[in-house]
Amino acid sequence: MPNPQPFPSSTMLAGRRAVVTGGAGGIGAAIARTFASHGADVLVVDNTQLGSLEFDAEAGGSLTALDWDVRESSVLPDVCRFNPDVLVNNVGHFLQPQGSFVENAPSLWDELHEEDLSTPACRFGG
């Protein structure tokens, strides 16, 4: 069986702008670094201390950090001026459940959906 083909180019996102919420660490930081490594200009949004966001700069991308709690609309104009092509809504880390998923109250699930689907960050395009 032949090996799967790699991405066509390390610059496949060149000239694109992406916003990654919850991008200070974990999956969000990995997404931001990957986008930038493929040439995108990435606005990393988080309300916690941003860690190291190093990436392969050969593709020409960039990473910019913005300290913002997506539940607040005060920074929304700055995000809109960035004029993103892509929104990766990775936020939701503030909900630290106690115990396993099935042991948590249904209200925690509701709160997570409210955070991920109804915040100003989700509506900045329109």
Side-chain angles (χ1 to χ4, degrees):
M1 178 181 282
N3 290 333
Q5 294 296 314
F7 287 115
S9 166
S10 64
T11 59
M12 65 188 290
L13 294 172
R16 301 289 186 188
R17 291 170 309 280
V19 171
V20 180
T21 66
I27 293 170
I31 292 167
R33 284 192 306 269
T34 300
F35 276 37
S37 291
H38 286 278
D41 294 319
V42 183
L43 181 62
V44 178
V45 176
D46 210 306
N47 67 345
T48 63
Q49 181 67 34
L50 296 175
S52 172
L53 293 174
E54 296 175 8
F55 68 101
D56 178 5
E58 290 182 20
S62 68
L63 289 168
T64 304
L66 177 64
D67 180 13
W68 179 34
D69 183 332
V70 297
R71 295 170 289 182
E72 304 296 326
S73 60
S74 61
V75 181
L76 201 53
D78 295 332
V79 176
C80 290
R81 277 191 288 279
F82 186 69
N83 197 23
D85 300 297
V86 178
L87 168 64
V88 179
N89 191 23
N90 178 65
V91 75
H93 60 82
F94 83 97
L95 298 171
Q96 300 298 323
Q98 304 299 314
S100 73
F101 176 78
V102 295
E103 294 170 334
N104 287 295
S107 61
L108 185 67
W109 186 253
D110 294 340
E111 191 175 350
L112 177 62
H113 278 103
E114 178 69 22
E115 178 78 8
D116 285 343
L117 302 175
S118 299
T119 62
C122 297
R123 300 187 304 259
F124 73 82

